[in-house]
Amino acid sequence: MHPHDANYLASLQVLKEDGRLRGLKPRTGTDFASNDYLALASAQRMQLAILAAIDAGTPIGGSRLLRGNCEEHEALEAEAARFFGAETALFFGGGYIANFAVLTTLPQRGDLLVLDALVHASIHEGARAGRADFRISAHNDPQSVESTIRDWRVAGGVGRVWIVVESLYSMDGDFAPLQELITIADRYDAFLMVDEAHATGVYGEQGRGLAAPYEARDNLVVVHTCGKALGAAGSLVTTSTAMRDFMINRCRPFIFATAPSPLIAVGVREALLILQQEPERQRRLQTLVAFTHREMQTRGLRCPSTSQIVPYIIGDNAHTMQLASALQARGFDIRGIRPPTVPPGTARLRISVTLNVNETDVCSMLDALSDETRGWLR
């Protein structure tokens, strides 16, 4: 052992003893783990579109402000703005970097960020790295958001307020009260930033997301991740022209990064077209999600969500991983989620319902889950 490795190994041992040591595993078994909700990652149309772009030749050459700006990026952004009903869109290399980029660029010194307690790690990282102050509000609690804003104002806060939420939470599968949050944003002249990562493609007309009814508002910024239901990679930030131009000029993760691959931009644009031209994918998924929840209820399996994200909460880290391993051994790719991804004491299986499975697969998986947890308190 190299002496410089001692501290790292000691830290890893602590994680192991707490049942939180992570490792990389191959993709095996029936898919109940991915975020490929509409099975677009393997769709032939996506493959053909990207192959055609390869044949055409799509060099990058640098950041988008140098020689990396391609017509594929601009075509995607124009299509995305039209599709989502926004004024403009800006394409980033991933959802994590898009959240980080927005929160380290648009909120200014003297502003306040009000973050839902369960927003994604990228949002917390962006808040910590940005210029604005931030507070945490209780999960999905508009009253907590409003109280936080009022208390900050009483204490002398005079900047703009940014309310930051996910429309569909990635580990609990529950929905943000967007209408109530919009009302609060209007009341306090605040911005609302919505991460639609797990809603884009799945919810809203033609998969436009849960924030679609509000997209044209000038106090809304929406992040549409492209690596989940859209089956590709990257992320689109939809916003006003002024904010887009400000990010192009001031956003360090945009200015100093090599441009996203034009091939990915082509894939994302094709995914947006598929959403419009193959609406049956969205309908089939909703039917399968409803079927899954009914079948869980029939078996007495508790689930706090009604979405395609199905958390089966166990609590104990070690028991969670033992159950995940048992289900994997039976041919189902289901992963255990532990702190810090979820709060302490809420370790769980995160079961993802996608079009990569059918009703027979769902029933087989739930039968296995029932078998493995027989006698447990649920």
Side-chain angles (χ1 to χ4, degrees), residues 24-29 333 335:
L24 299 175
K25 292 186 176 182
R27 299 191 300 176
T28 59
D333 191 0
R335 308 296 173 98

Side-chain angles (χ1 to χ4, degrees), residues 223-287:
V223 178
H224 294 280
T225 300
C226 308
K228 295 178 172 59
L230 299 188
S235 191
L236 290 154
V237 176
T238 56
T239 185
S240 68
T241 300
M243 287 190 178
R244 181 183 189 271
D245 289 347
F246 189 84
M247 284 193 287
I248 289 172
N249 282 274
R250 291 293 184 87
C251 178
R252 296 175 70 85
F254 179 85
I255 295 168
F256 297 106
T258 298
S261 168
L263 299 177
I264 299 300
V266 167
V268 174
R269 189 179 180 204
E270 186 67 21
L272 296 181
L273 295 176
I274 292 172
L275 291 183
Q276 298 165 74
Q277 295 166 6
E278 300 181 17
E280 65 274 9
R281 286 181 182 265
Q282 189 183 10
R283 291 195 296 266
R284 282 170 47 213
L285 180 60
Q286 296 298 342
T287 298

Side-chain angles (χ1 to χ4, degrees), residues 320-365:
T320 297
M321 300 313 295
Q322 289 166 9
L323 181 55
S325 295
L327 292 170
Q328 290 162 15
R330 295 178 68 151
F332 304 103
D333 191 0
I334 295 175
R335 308 296 173 98
I337 307 296
R338 295 149 292 168
T341 305
V342 294
T346 70
R348 68 199 62 187
L349 302 182
R350 182 189 184 273
I351 300 168
S352 182
V353 181
T354 76
L355 292 184
N356 294 306
V357 303
N358 56 34
E359 291 184 355
T360 300
D361 297 324
V362 168
C363 287
S364 298
M365 179 273 293

Side-chain angles (χ1 to χ4, degrees), residues 20-39:
R20 292 189 293 129
L21 185 65
R22 308 181 195 196
L24 299 175
K25 292 186 176 182
R27 299 191 300 176
T28 59
T30 305
D31 176 17
F32 284 100
S34 82
N35 298 318
D36 182 25
Y37 300 124
L38 299 176

